[in-house]
mmCIF file of all heavy atoms in Angstrom:
data_model
loop_
_atom_site.group_PDB
_atom_site.id
_atom_site.type_symbol
_atom_site.label_atom_id
_atom_site.label_comp_id
_atom_site.label_asym_id
_atom_site.label_seq_id
_atom_site.Cartn_x
_atom_site.Cartn_y
_atom_site.Cartn_z
ATOM 1 N N LYS A 846 0.828 -1.198 0.000
ATOM 2 C CA LYS A 846 0.000 0.000 0.000
ATOM 3 C C LYS A 846 0.865 1.252 0.000
ATOM 4 O O LYS A 846 0.587 2.229 -0.685
ATOM 5 C CB LYS A 846 -0.919 -0.001 1.227
ATOM 6 C CG LYS A 846 -1.905 1.156 1.245
ATOM 7 C CD LYS A 846 -2.827 1.040 2.448
ATOM 8 C CE LYS A 846 -3.828 2.186 2.467
ATOM 9 N NZ LYS A 846 -4.718 2.094 3.635
ATOM 10 N N LYS A 847 1.944 1.210 0.777
ATOM 11 C CA LYS A 847 2.851 2.347 0.847
ATOM 12 C C LYS A 847 3.508 2.612 -0.492
ATOM 13 O O LYS A 847 3.612 3.731 -0.951
ATOM 14 C CB LYS A 847 3.917 2.092 1.925
ATOM 15 C CG LYS A 847 4.823 3.304 2.184
ATOM 16 C CD LYS A 847 5.763 3.009 3.321
ATOM 17 C CE LYS A 847 6.633 4.224 3.608
ATOM 18 N NZ LYS A 847 7.593 3.986 4.700
ATOM 19 N N VAL A 848 3.964 1.550 -1.160
ATOM 20 C CA VAL A 848 4.615 1.699 -2.451
ATOM 21 C C VAL A 848 3.641 2.246 -3.475
ATOM 22 O O VAL A 848 3.960 3.135 -4.263
ATOM 23 C CB VAL A 848 5.198 0.347 -2.920
ATOM 24 C CG1 VAL A 848 5.715 0.464 -4.339
ATOM 25 C CG2 VAL A 848 6.314 -0.109 -1.973
ATOM 26 N N LYS A 849 2.404 1.709 -3.458
ATOM 27 C CA LYS A 849 1.415 2.162 -4.424
ATOM 28 C C LYS A 849 1.083 3.634 -4.238
ATOM 29 O O LYS A 849 0.767 4.334 -5.177
ATOM 30 C CB LYS A 849 0.137 1.315 -4.289
ATOM 31 C CG LYS A 849 0.278 -0.104 -4.819
ATOM 32 C CD LYS A 849 -1.005 -0.904 -4.612
ATOM 33 C CE LYS A 849 -0.839 -2.339 -5.100
ATOM 34 N NZ LYS A 849 -2.066 -3.130 -4.856
ATOM 35 N N GLY A 850 1.190 4.125 -2.996
ATOM 36 C CA GLY A 850 0.870 5.520 -2.726
ATOM 37 C C GLY A 850 2.068 6.442 -2.856
ATOM 38 O O GLY A 850 1.958 7.631 -2.595
ATOM 39 N N ALA A 851 3.229 5.910 -3.247
ATOM 40 C CA ALA A 851 4.439 6.715 -3.340
ATOM 41 C C ALA A 851 4.361 7.702 -4.498
ATOM 42 O O ALA A 851 3.729 7.448 -5.519
ATOM 43 C CB ALA A 851 5.660 5.804 -3.513
ATOM 44 N N LEU A 852 5.009 8.840 -4.313
ATOM 45 C CA LEU A 852 5.146 9.818 -5.392
ATOM 46 C C LEU A 852 6.202 9.306 -6.363
ATOM 47 O O LEU A 852 7.346 9.075 -5.968
ATOM 48 C CB LEU A 852 5.577 11.168 -4.813
ATOM 49 C CG LEU A 852 6.023 12.219 -5.838
ATOM 50 C CD1 LEU A 852 4.857 12.630 -6.730
ATOM 51 C CD2 LEU A 852 6.618 13.439 -5.129
ATOM 52 N N ARG A 853 5.821 9.123 -7.609
ATOM 53 C CA ARG A 853 6.766 8.634 -8.618
ATOM 54 C C ARG A 853 7.413 9.829 -9.324
ATOM 55 O O ARG A 853 6.729 10.627 -9.961
ATOM 56 C CB ARG A 853 6.046 7.731 -9.623
ATOM 57 C CG ARG A 853 5.585 6.413 -9.002
ATOM 58 C CD ARG A 853 4.704 5.611 -9.939
ATOM 59 N NE ARG A 853 5.386 5.178 -11.146
ATOM 60 C CZ ARG A 853 6.179 4.113 -11.228
ATOM 61 N NH1 ARG A 853 6.387 3.362 -10.156
ATOM 62 N NH2 ARG A 853 6.756 3.773 -12.367
ATOM 63 N N VAL A 854 8.733 9.928 -9.167
ATOM 64 C CA VAL A 854 9.496 11.034 -9.739
ATOM 65 C C VAL A 854 10.354 10.514 -10.883
ATOM 66 O O VAL A 854 11.233 9.679 -10.680
ATOM 67 C CB VAL A 854 10.388 11.698 -8.659
ATOM 68 C CG1 VAL A 854 11.234 12.802 -9.285
ATOM 69 C CG2 VAL A 854 9.535 12.246 -7.526
ATOM 70 N N GLY A 855 10.084 10.999 -12.078
ATOM 71 C CA GLY A 855 10.863 10.585 -13.237
ATOM 72 C C GLY A 855 12.215 11.288 -13.256
ATOM 73 O O GLY A 855 12.303 12.480 -12.945
ATOM 74 N N LEU A 856 13.271 10.572 -13.594
ATOM 75 C CA LEU A 856 14.618 11.149 -13.635
ATOM 76 C C LEU A 856 15.215 10.988 -15.023
ATOM 77 O O LEU A 856 15.363 9.863 -15.519
ATOM 78 C CB LEU A 856 15.515 10.470 -12.596
ATOM 79 C CG LEU A 856 16.998 10.891 -12.603
ATOM 80 C CD1 LEU A 856 17.132 12.385 -12.314
ATOM 81 C CD2 LEU A 856 17.788 10.073 -11.590
ATOM 82 N N VAL A 857 15.559 12.104 -15.648
ATOM 83 C CA VAL A 857 16.232 12.101 -16.946
ATOM 84 C C VAL A 857 17.689 12.449 -16.686
ATOM 85 O O VAL A 857 18.032 13.604 -16.408
ATOM 86 C CB VAL A 857 15.599 13.132 -17.909
ATOM 87 C CG1 VAL A 857 16.325 13.110 -19.244
ATOM 88 C CG2 VAL A 857 14.117 12.855 -18.092
ATOM 89 N N ALA A 858 18.563 11.449 -16.745
ATOM 90 C CA ALA A 858 19.978 11.653 -16.445
ATOM 91 C C ALA A 858 20.809 10.612 -17.182
ATOM 92 O O ALA A 858 20.422 9.449 -17.266
ATOM 93 C CB ALA A 858 20.224 11.562 -14.946
ATOM 94 N N ALA A 859 21.970 11.060 -17.683
ATOM 95 C CA ALA A 859 22.858 10.147 -18.395
ATOM 96 C C ALA A 859 23.912 9.541 -17.470
ATOM 97 O O ALA A 859 24.471 8.487 -17.762
ATOM 98 C CB ALA A 859 23.560 10.887 -19.545
ATOM 99 N N ASP A 860 24.156 10.204 -16.358
ATOM 100 C CA ASP A 860 25.174 9.746 -15.419
ATOM 101 C C ASP A 860 24.573 8.701 -14.476
ATOM 102 O O ASP A 860 23.694 9.013 -13.674
ATOM 103 C CB ASP A 860 25.690 10.936 -14.610
ATOM 104 C CG ASP A 860 26.825 10.564 -13.659
ATOM 105 O OD1 ASP A 860 27.131 9.354 -13.554
ATOM 106 O OD2 ASP A 860 27.394 11.470 -13.038
ATOM 107 N N PRO A 861 25.035 7.441 -14.543
ATOM 108 C CA PRO A 861 24.477 6.397 -13.665
ATOM 109 C C PRO A 861 24.676 6.696 -12.186
ATOM 110 O O PRO A 861 23.877 6.268 -11.347
ATOM 111 C CB PRO A 861 25.233 5.134 -14.094
ATOM 112 C CG PRO A 861 26.466 5.619 -14.778
ATOM 113 C CD PRO A 861 26.090 6.903 -15.421
ATOM 114 N N LEU A 862 25.717 7.460 -11.834
ATOM 115 C CA LEU A 862 25.938 7.808 -10.430
ATOM 116 C C LEU A 862 24.867 8.782 -9.929
ATOM 117 O O LEU A 862 24.497 8.758 -8.754
ATOM 118 C CB LEU A 862 27.328 8.427 -10.256
ATOM 119 C CG LEU A 862 28.517 7.475 -10.451
ATOM 120 C CD1 LEU A 862 29.833 8.224 -10.271
ATOM 121 C CD2 LEU A 862 28.436 6.305 -9.467
ATOM 122 N N ARG A 863 24.380 9.633 -10.841
ATOM 123 C CA ARG A 863 23.305 10.552 -10.461
ATOM 124 C C ARG A 863 22.039 9.755 -10.140
ATOM 125 O O ARG A 863 21.331 10.028 -9.170
ATOM 126 C CB ARG A 863 23.024 11.522 -11.598
ATOM 127 C CG ARG A 863 22.060 12.639 -11.247
ATOM 128 C CD ARG A 863 22.747 13.770 -10.533
ATOM 129 N NE ARG A 863 23.846 14.281 -11.312
ATOM 130 C CZ ARG A 863 24.986 14.739 -10.813
ATOM 131 N NH1 ARG A 863 25.154 14.731 -9.501
ATOM 132 N NH2 ARG A 863 25.951 15.191 -11.588
ATOM 133 N N VAL A 864 21.764 8.763 -10.982
ATOM 134 C CA VAL A 864 20.592 7.910 -10.769
ATOM 135 C C VAL A 864 20.742 7.144 -9.457
ATOM 136 O O VAL A 864 19.826 7.118 -8.624
ATOM 137 C CB VAL A 864 20.416 6.917 -11.943
ATOM 138 C CG1 VAL A 864 19.231 5.987 -11.675
ATOM 139 C CG2 VAL A 864 20.213 7.673 -13.255
ATOM 140 N N LEU A 865 21.911 6.547 -9.254
ATOM 141 C CA LEU A 865 22.158 5.761 -8.050
ATOM 142 C C LEU A 865 22.064 6.625 -6.798
ATOM 143 O O LEU A 865 21.497 6.212 -5.774
ATOM 144 C CB LEU A 865 23.532 5.100 -8.130
ATOM 145 C CG LEU A 865 23.934 4.218 -6.937
ATOM 146 C CD1 LEU A 865 22.955 3.071 -6.759
ATOM 147 C CD2 LEU A 865 25.359 3.690 -7.123
ATOM 148 N N GLY A 866 22.612 7.841 -6.877
ATOM 149 C CA GLY A 866 22.595 8.735 -5.727
ATOM 150 C C GLY A 866 21.180 9.069 -5.289
ATOM 151 O O GLY A 866 20.853 9.024 -4.096
ATOM 152 N N LEU A 867 20.305 9.383 -6.236
ATOM 153 C CA LEU A 867 18.923 9.715 -5.902
ATOM 154 C C LEU A 867 18.148 8.491 -5.436
ATOM 155 O O LEU A 867 17.296 8.579 -4.541
ATOM 156 C CB LEU A 867 18.234 10.363 -7.103
ATOM 157 C CG LEU A 867 18.650 11.817 -7.353
ATOM 158 C CD1 LEU A 867 18.198 12.288 -8.727
ATOM 159 C CD2 LEU A 867 18.097 12.739 -6.274
ATOM 160 N N GLN A 868 18.440 7.343 -6.026
ATOM 161 C CA GLN A 868 17.769 6.115 -5.579
ATOM 162 C C GLN A 868 18.220 5.726 -4.182
ATOM 163 O O GLN A 868 17.465 5.085 -3.447
ATOM 164 C CB GLN A 868 18.034 4.986 -6.573
ATOM 165 C CG GLN A 868 17.289 5.153 -7.895
ATOM 166 C CD GLN A 868 17.573 4.044 -8.876
ATOM 167 O OE1 GLN A 868 18.683 3.486 -8.911
ATOM 168 N NE2 GLN A 868 16.602 3.720 -9.711
ATOM 169 N N THR A 869 19.428 6.118 -3.794
ATOM 170 C CA THR A 869 19.910 5.864 -2.440
ATOM 171 C C THR A 869 19.194 6.772 -1.437
ATOM 172 O O THR A 869 18.834 6.344 -0.334
ATOM 173 C CB THR A 869 21.432 6.103 -2.349
ATOM 174 O OG1 THR A 869 22.104 5.213 -3.261
ATOM 175 C CG2 THR A 869 21.945 5.847 -0.937
ATOM 176 N N ILE A 870 18.969 8.018 -1.833
ATOM 177 C CA ILE A 870 18.248 8.957 -0.971
ATOM 178 C C ILE A 870 16.804 8.510 -0.795
ATOM 179 O O ILE A 870 16.227 8.617 0.292
ATOM 180 C CB ILE A 870 18.299 10.383 -1.571
ATOM 181 C CG1 ILE A 870 19.728 10.925 -1.519
ATOM 182 C CG2 ILE A 870 17.342 11.323 -0.832
ATOM 183 C CD1 ILE A 870 19.897 12.259 -2.214
ATOM 184 N N PHE A 871 16.219 7.997 -1.885
ATOM 185 C CA PHE A 871 14.822 7.559 -1.856
ATOM 186 C C PHE A 871 14.766 6.056 -2.163
ATOM 187 O O PHE A 871 14.488 5.654 -3.294
ATOM 188 C CB PHE A 871 13.991 8.321 -2.889
ATOM 189 C CG PHE A 871 13.994 9.813 -2.686
ATOM 190 C CD1 PHE A 871 14.750 10.628 -3.513
ATOM 191 C CD2 PHE A 871 13.249 10.387 -1.668
ATOM 192 C CE1 PHE A 871 14.752 12.008 -3.331
ATOM 193 C CE2 PHE A 871 13.240 11.762 -1.482
ATOM 194 C CZ PHE A 871 13.999 12.571 -2.310
ATOM 195 N N PRO A 872 15.034 5.196 -1.177
ATOM 196 C CA PRO A 872 15.054 3.745 -1.406
ATOM 197 C C PRO A 872 13.652 3.189 -1.657
ATOM 198 O O PRO A 872 12.634 3.846 -1.377
ATOM 199 C CB PRO A 872 15.635 3.190 -0.100
ATOM 200 C CG PRO A 872 15.272 4.207 0.930
ATOM 201 C CD PRO A 872 15.346 5.533 0.226
ATOM 202 N N ASP A 873 13.609 1.990 -2.197
ATOM 203 C CA ASP A 873 12.336 1.321 -2.466
ATOM 204 C C ASP A 873 11.494 1.232 -1.199
ATOM 205 O O ASP A 873 12.010 0.972 -0.111
ATOM 206 C CB ASP A 873 12.577 -0.093 -3.012
ATOM 207 C CG ASP A 873 13.158 -0.073 -4.426
ATOM 208 O OD1 ASP A 873 13.083 0.988 -5.054
ATOM 209 O OD2 ASP A 873 13.682 -1.109 -4.869
ATOM 210 N N GLY A 874 10.186 1.406 -1.360
ATOM 211 C CA GLY A 874 9.277 1.282 -0.242
ATOM 212 C C GLY A 874 9.014 2.570 0.500
ATOM 213 O O GLY A 874 8.217 2.601 1.438
ATOM 214 N N GLY A 875 9.669 3.674 0.081
ATOM 215 C CA GLY A 875 9.475 4.951 0.749
ATOM 216 C C GLY A 875 8.341 5.751 0.132
ATOM 217 O O GLY A 875 7.579 5.252 -0.709
ATOM 218 N N SER A 876 8.232 7.009 0.544
ATOM 219 C CA SER A 876 7.149 7.868 0.055
ATOM 220 C C SER A 876 7.438 8.454 -1.319
ATOM 221 O O SER A 876 6.552 8.992 -1.969
ATOM 222 C CB SER A 876 6.910 9.006 1.048
ATOM 223 O OG SER A 876 8.090 9.793 1.199
ATOM 224 N N VAL A 877 8.706 8.348 -1.766
ATOM 225 C CA VAL A 877 9.105 8.835 -3.093
ATOM 226 C C VAL A 877 9.828 7.716 -3.823
ATOM 227 O O VAL A 877 10.698 7.052 -3.264
ATOM 228 C CB VAL A 877 10.034 10.067 -2.991
ATOM 229 C CG1 VAL A 877 10.544 10.475 -4.373
ATOM 230 C CG2 VAL A 877 9.304 11.236 -2.330
ATOM 231 N N GLU A 878 9.461 7.506 -5.077
ATOM 232 C CA GLU A 878 10.108 6.478 -5.899
ATOM 233 C C GLU A 878 10.759 7.141 -7.111
ATOM 234 O O GLU A 878 10.091 7.868 -7.856
ATOM 235 C CB GLU A 878 9.086 5.444 -6.364
ATOM 236 C CG GLU A 878 9.683 4.353 -7.234
ATOM 237 C CD GLU A 878 8.634 3.382 -7.756
ATOM 238 O OE1 GLU A 878 7.443 3.556 -7.427
ATOM 239 O OE2 GLU A 878 9.009 2.457 -8.511
ATOM 240 N N ILE A 879 12.055 6.928 -7.286
ATOM 241 C CA ILE A 879 12.778 7.485 -8.428
ATOM 242 C C ILE A 879 12.656 6.525 -9.615
ATOM 243 O O ILE A 879 13.005 5.347 -9.514
ATOM 244 C CB ILE A 879 14.268 7.716 -8.092
ATOM 245 C CG1 ILE A 879 14.403 8.717 -6.937
ATOM 246 C CG2 ILE A 879 15.019 8.212 -9.319
ATOM 247 C CD1 ILE A 879 13.858 10.101 -7.226
ATOM 248 N N VAL A 880 12.155 7.039 -10.736
ATOM 249 C CA VAL A 880 11.931 6.216 -11.927
ATOM 250 C C VAL A 880 12.819 6.724 -13.065
ATOM 251 O O VAL A 880 12.543 7.775 -13.651
ATOM 252 C CB VAL A 880 10.454 6.273 -12.379
ATOM 253 C CG1 VAL A 880 10.218 5.377 -13.581
ATOM 254 C CG2 VAL A 880 9.521 5.908 -11.222
ATOM 255 N N PRO A 881 13.923 6.028 -13.395
ATOM 256 C CA PRO A 881 14.777 6.455 -14.504
ATOM 257 C C PRO A 881 13.995 6.444 -15.820
ATOM 258 O O PRO A 881 13.274 5.497 -16.117
ATOM 259 C CB PRO A 881 15.899 5.416 -14.518
ATOM 260 C CG PRO A 881 15.896 4.838 -13.137
ATOM 261 C CD PRO A 881 14.451 4.836 -12.719
#
C-alpha cells in the first residue's frame, strides 16, 4: 500500500551515479520512488 501511494518522480539523467545517488536517498518502499 505504501509503495502504491508513493510519489513517482521521473529522472532524466545520463550519469548512472546521479541515478544511483537519488535512488539511495529515496530507497524502495518509501514515500518517493525514483523512476529512470
Side-chain angles (χ1 to χ4, degrees):
K846 185 177 181 181
K847 187 176 182 181
V848 173
K849 287 178 182 178
L852 169 65
R853 292 172 64 81
V854 177
L856 175 61
V857 180
D860 184 354
L862 291 179
R863 188 82 56 215
V864 177
L865 181 60
L867 285 166
Q868 288 179 327
T869 300
I870 292 174
F871 301 104
D873 290 344
S876 60
V877 175
E878 179 184 359
I879 299 298
V880 182

